[in-house]
Amino acid sequence: MSVCMAVVLGVGAYLVPVLASPPTAAAAEPTGSLAPVTDGFGSSLGSNWRTVGGSWRTRSGVLRGSGELRRPLCACGPDEELREARVSLRFKVPASSTDSWASVAVALNGAGDDESLWVTALPYQSGPRIQIMRRTSSGETTYAETLRDTTLTPGSWYRLELEWRHGIAFARVWADGSARPATPMAGHVLDAVDFHPVSGGIRTYGLPSVDADDFSATWLTKGDLRSVTDKGGFAPLSQNLVAPPTYSADRLPKPVIDGNPEWKTLYDEAWSILHDSHLRRPVSTSPFVRTYMDEAFDTDIVFQWDTIFMTLYGRYMGGDFDAMGSLDNWYAMQEPTGAIWRIYVESSGARHPWADGASAVNPPLFAWAELKSYQMTGDLARVRRVLPALQAYADWVSVGRWSQEAPHQLYWNNGVGNGMDNLPTQPGHGGDGYGTGQVDMSSQMVLMWDSLAQLHAATGDTARAEDSGALADATADRVNRFSWNETDGRYYELTSANEQWKIDSIAGFWTLVSGVAPSDRAQRLAGALTDTRKYWTDMVFPALAKDEPAYRTHGEYWRGGAWAPTNYATIKGLKTSGNAALARAAAEKYLAGLAEVYDYTGTLWETYAPERQPGSWITGSRSEGGPVVAPGKSLDASATYLSPATTSWGDGANSTGGTDNISKSDFVGWTGLGPIALLIEDVIGIEVDAPHRTIDWRLTRTDRNGVQDLSLGSLGTVSLVADARSGEASPVRVCATSTASEPLTLNIKDSAGQTRTVTIAAHASGQCQTV
Ligand SMILES: *[C@@H]1O[C@H](CO)[C@@H](O)[C@H](O)[C@H]1NC(C)=O
Ligand SMILES: CC(=O)N[C@H]1CO[C@H](CO)[C@@H](O)[C@@H]1O
Ligand SMILES: CC(=O)N[C@H]1CO[C@H](CO)[C@@H](O)[C@@H]1O
């Protein structure tokens, strides 16, 4: 019997054309008079197709025909919806078409016949196109399309995929038999979460016959039906507000560092400032769900990346305060699209106008902070609860900040979104950076996906872990391909035309902590960080290299200021890229600087000047109207000192020989990172991995040093103290006390890079060993 069953559209001619123009009026929908097509090909679902339009037959596992076909995907109750789905099919590009708008699509359909979302391949345009389109009762819209990287050769088979995640659509097409590309070809965030897919299928336009098969629907996840106004649905929590704890050194870990008591003072002072001024219970009008760490910049607005960085040291509070509750407030504000804005008003939960439009997004670091918290606590229940919020945020930001039409396909932010206000970038302070590729933002996306991969893996979800890992790798590859300048040994931001925009700033050093920089490139970056003409300034690390024209010796905010978040990220990057000794040296130089300024100001500051300043200038300067030098202290007018940095208002002289524009004091705030996190992790050298019951200690100091009462979440606490010794190569006696009911593994790494493993017994009490 003839197999050539190309069916003429006939009754199926109702089809709404899959094109942006010219529009044609939709005829009445057919009433379902065609018999369902049964098939056995490829699908795990095994249910029948419903023929909505067009006509289809099967032959040897291939579905041949044209029009539209649907099959149910979600047995959704009235209060349920499909949150996530991946639908794909194989199709053969017909040899030719007389209609240049002829197309094949894979679709998700709502309950009504006029509700669908699809990814369409148009092989016969002057260049092949892939589009994301949607039909509603009011017509069709093309959301995103790409002309890139697409070959659709007549006679060849391709796989076409629509990935749907809570209002976000991703498109992919790839040659049949090759690997699914990690990066989508196009993505779109629907304006409102008002589309509820219930079925999926195939649709064609303008083709008398198409061969398709292997329709597959995976990652089908149901959830409660959500309204467009619901917030906080991804990681729900009911409000539970506690009074902020008062400062008590007894309830916090106690670093032991006999050789540098001034750093222990800084540590105590950081916690004291935090407790006295910046732990905040939400006011009665606030929708926040937890008492939180407030960023210390403003009394009624809270900043996302400040909060995230605060949790990176706040996690050391252990059971004394739920530092991660600070991030729960952000998840509570999350929109149904996954959006979390950069700034909220604390008293109302409203998005702040500074977080509108191009300035909506801060560095996407929630997942990184959650991973670090999990490593300290092993709290898998929290990971399971927050993962949907982290994934939804990742999906949203990966579309919203994706320069998807630029050749580099990297991610953008602007000069406020990136958190580095007046650092020179192409988009500038509040500009629209779409099309540019920012190295910091793109590397932070890699860090986000990598952290998500580890969190998914921790919950046993290997499919999602692989998916996130592949996105991290693909993005890192593109940063390395386009942003790296071999002559200069730097990563630069990119223009929309793939040209490097050469400003040497700390933004390029996010490639270290994100693992983007391969080791040879990481070594060149480390070289720049230790170069006194570039980044190894009196106070490390300036936001802008010292030889950049916009660099300012007073810091002028991000034009040379040495900042806690970028120092933390850069020092972590040095450590993870094989430069642990340099990471420690940088942390020590930074702490020494903080201590020098603390000595005459009695506090910690928002940002620090990269170079020493004359005592006369500091003495004549004010911050928010008050003198910088503490009462009872005085500086030698002709000597130089490390100093707080100026703000972006500039550093013009005032009548007292200084400036009135010194940045903010009592900034704990993220300046707690150095005195607390860097002290424990990089100077003393102890890092906890509670899920693996392991502690790594890079033990190279020769004074009596260690940490007491370090929290390991529900496992308990541990104290580790090494005795003083005569030299780095000498044996050292280490004593451990643990409240954990299980043994712990302690890996002690010496300055020669050798690791000795010691088992700390369950409930060890003063267990000592010389290693
Ligand atoms: C790298 O920088 C050099 C100048 O230092 C420039 O000549 C070259 O074009 C840059 N490379 C790229 C890929 O832009
Ligand atoms: C010299 C200088 O830049 N002065 C600025 C200090 O900051 C205030 C605002 O706080 C500006 O108004 C001044 O111009
Ligand atoms: C007290 C005082 O003189 N303040 C001045 C410091 O300098 C700035 C800018 O040069 C002036 O705006 C202040 O009034």
Side-chain angles (χ1 to χ4, degrees):
M1 168 159 177
S2 166
V3 291
C4 189
M5 290 297 188
V7 181
V8 182
L9 274 173
V11 296
Y14 80 95
L15 263 183
V16 181
V18 184
L19 47 78
S21 63
T24 52
E29 296 281 333
T31 52
S33 54
L34 294 169
V37 175
T38 50
D39 68 71
F41 53 76
S43 169
S44 55
L45 296 162
S47 63
N48 288 354
W49 291 95
R50 179 166 82 97
T51 54
V52 174
S55 300
W56 295 82
R57 312 229 170 154
T58 55
R59 177 181 72 83
S60 316
V62 174
L63 193 62
R64 165 165 293 188
S66 71
E68 181 169 9
L69 274 181
R70 302 176 182 190
R71 72 190 318 164
L73 298 180
C74 181
C76 289
D79 299 327
E80 290 175 323
E81 65 176 342
L82 202 55
R83 288 271 173 83
E84 186 181 40
R86 222 180 237 187
V87 288
S88 72
L89 55 82
R90 262 176 24 110
F91 75 100
K92 186 162 88 173
V93 179
S96 64
S97 169
T98 52
D99 185 341
S100 66
W101 291 98
S103 66
V104 179
V106 61
L108 285 168
N109 311 95
D113 279 344
D114 57 3
E115 272 288 326
S116 51
L117 177 77
W118 63 92
V119 167
T120 183
L122 297 119
Y124 307 107
Q125 293 285 293
S126 52
R129 291 190 195 188
I130 303 299
Q131 296 175 327
I132 297 173
M133 295 189 70
R134 186 176 173 202
R135 182 174 68 202
T136 64
S137 52
S138 52
E140 286 184 12
T141 319
T142 302
Y143 286 131
E145 70 170 14
T146 179
L147 312 174
R148 273 183 296 99
D149 298 346
T150 319
T151 11
L152 294 170
T153 310
S156 298
W157 286 84
Y158 292 86
R159 186 163 277 277
L160 188 59
E161 181 192 272
L162 166 60
E163 186 174 16
W164 159 262
R165 295 236 266 260
H166 50 79
I168 301 178
F170 296 102
R172 284 179 175 83
V173 66
W174 63 98
D176 186 41
S178 64
R180 175 180 183 269
T183 309
M185 299 180 68
H188 182 74
V189 180
L190 268 63
D191 296 337
V193 188
D194 56 356
F195 171 61
H196 303 292
V198 295
S199 62
I202 304 169
R203 50 181 294 156
T204 68
Y205 169 74
L207 290 165
S209 172
V210 172
D211 287 348
D213 71 5
D214 199 26
F215 176 84
S216 114
T218 56
W219 297 46
L220 296 171
T221 312
K222 265 199 293 193
D224 292 342
L225 190 65
R226 211 172 279 162
S227 111
V228 294
T229 54
D230 287 348
K231 287 186 183 167
F234 292 102
L237 263 193
S238 50
Q239 197 180 50
N240 178 19
L241 308 179
V242 298
T246 50
Y247 171 61
S248 161
D250 286 349
R251 295 198 306 266
L252 294 163
K254 296 153 203 66
V256 175
I257 184 152
D258 286 3
N260 294 93
E262 72 281 17
W263 296 345
K264 174 67 165 64
T265 304
L266 277 187
Y267 174 88
D268 292 339
E269 186 66 12
W271 284 128
S272 159
I273 295 172
L274 177 79
H275 283 78
D276 290 351
S277 314
H278 304 305
L279 293 182
R280 187 165 296 176
R281 184 191 161 107
V283 296
S284 60
T285 51
S286 174
F288 288 1
V289 293
R290 290 290 182 270
T291 301
Y292 57 102
M293 303 174 81
D294 181 64
E295 90 297 318
F297 184 86
D298 185 280
T299 49
D300 196 29
I301 62 177
V302 65
F303 291 77
Q304 188 188 117
W305 89 314
D306 293 65
T307 306
I308 290 171
F309 275 106
M310 289 177 79
T311 67
L312 296 177
Y313 70 81
R315 65 194 179 124
Y316 285 98
M317 281 186 276
D320 198 36
F321 182 73
D322 173 22
M324 298 307 284
S326 309
L327 297 190
D328 288 321
N329 288 336
W330 295 82
Y331 309 146
M333 298 296 104
Q334 189 170 24
E335 319 250 330
T337 55
I340 304 178
W341 312 116
R342 186 171 71 87
I343 312 173
Y344 288 95
V345 177
E346 293 167 54
S347 54
S348 67
R351 169 189 186 167
H352 192 275
W354 291 350
D356 280 347
S359 305
V361 169
N362 248 168
L365 300 172
F366 289 116
W368 186 40
E370 292 290 350
L371 177 64
K372 290 217 165 247
S373 163
Y374 171 63
Q375 285 166 345
M376 174 155 284
T377 63
D379 182 356
L380 206 49
R382 179 178 176 90
V383 173
R384 290 188 201 282
R385 183 173 63 77
V386 302
L387 256 174
L390 301 177
Q391 182 69 56
Y393 180 73
D395 292 332
W396 174 75
V397 80
S398 75
V399 175
R401 293 295 143 149
W402 186 25
S403 287
Q404 57 179 296
E405 286 155 316
H408 51 73
Q409 290 185 62
L410 290 173
Y411 299 87
W412 66 273
N413 211 331
N414 68 21
V416 279
N418 70 6
M420 302 191 292
D421 309 57
N422 64 341
L423 183 92
T425 61
Q426 291 171 86
H429 196 255
D432 181 355
Y434 180 72
T436 67
Q438 303 291 324
V439 185
D440 47 344
M441 182 67 181
S442 302
S443 301
Q444 288 153 359
M445 293 291 286
V446 172
L447 187 56
M448 174 191 79
W449 277 314
D450 233 21
S451 303
L452 266 181
Q454 293 185 57
L455 292 168
H456 280 309
T459 68
D461 190 339
T462 42
R464 267 169 239 268
E466 279 169 21
D467 205 55
S468 296
L471 282 163
D473 292 348
T475 305
D477 284 350
R478 295 199 300 274
V479 175
N480 274 310
R481 189 140 39 104
F482 301 117
S483 290
W484 176 251
N485 187 302
E486 180 63 26
T487 313
D488 297 1
R490 290 293 189 288
Y491 289 93
Y492 294 123
E493 60 181 277
L494 293 158
T495 69
S496 56
N498 250 30
E499 282 148 5
Q500 294 183 348
W501 198 81
K502 302 193 357 170
I503 294 286
D504 187 4
S505 84
I506 205 72
F509 293 82
W510 277 94
T511 52
L512 292 173
V513 68
S514 56
V516 167
S519 65
D520 54 329
R521 294 180 179 186
Q523 289 320 307
R524 293 189 67 187
L525 294 179
L529 291 172
T530 49
D531 184 340
T532 53
R533 294 160 305 172
K534 307 276 184 188
Y535 289 96
W536 196 258
T537 42
D538 297 337
M539 184 70 165
V540 290
F541 289 113
L544 199 55
K546 197 174 166 183
D547 57 355
E548 278 288 339
Y551 169 87
R552 295 288 180 272
T553 169
H554 294 139
E556 207 175 298
Y557 236 39
W558 292 91
R559 301 200 159 189
W563 291 81
T566 42
N567 273 355
Y568 180 85
T570 304
I571 288 168
K572 293 293 148 194
L574 284 170
K575 192 171 192 174
T576 54
S577 65
N579 288 293
L582 178 54
R584 167 167 291 169
E588 289 181 349
K589 189 174 173 69
Y590 177 52
L591 288 192
L594 295 178
E596 179 174 329
V597 177
Y598 176 80
D599 193 48
Y600 69 82
T601 64
T603 192
L604 292 156
W605 295 80
E606 183 183 3
T607 170
Y608 291 76
E611 292 178 66
R612 291 178 177 280
Q613 303 301 330
S616 55
W617 183 81
I618 299 169
T619 304
S621 291
R622 281 174 289 271
S623 162
E624 300 188 292
V628 169
V629 179
K633 296 277 179 182
S634 64
L635 301 182
D636 180 344
S638 57
T640 59
Y641 302 85
L642 291 174
S643 157
T646 48
T647 68
S648 50
W649 286 105
D651 53 3
N654 64 18
S655 58
T656 50
T659 176
D660 281 5
N661 290 316
I662 296 289
S663 60
K664 292 180 194 281
S665 60
D666 291 344
F667 210 86
V668 187
W670 59 23
T671 304
L673 280 165
I676 299 167
L678 293 179
L679 176 70
I680 296 172
E681 297 160 16
D682 297 280
V683 174
I684 297 168
I686 291 178
E687 298 217 41
V688 166
D689 181 357
H692 296 103
R693 276 66 176 140
T694 296
I695 299 166
D696 288 334
W697 190 357
R698 184 173 288 274
L699 178 49
T700 61
R701 291 183 69 91
T702 56
D703 58 348
R704 184 174 156 269
N705 75 106
V707 184
Q708 290 169 329
D709 301 329
L710 186 60
S711 171
L712 306 174
S714 59
L715 278 177
T717 61
V718 68
S719 298
L720 297 168
V721 179
D723 285 353
R725 55 180 159 157
S726 53
E728 272 189 24
S730 319
V732 56
R733 196 175 77 120
V734 174
C735 295
T737 294
S738 165
T739 68
S741 55
E742 300 173 46
L744 303 169
T745 301
L746 173 64
N747 295 317
I748 298 178
K749 196 171 235 185
D750 66 18
S751 51
Q754 292 214 308
T755 301
R756 241 80 54 85
T757 298
V758 173
T759 301
I760 303 172
H763 301 295
S765 170
Q767 176 195 327
C768 298
Q769 194 161 337
T770 300
V771 296

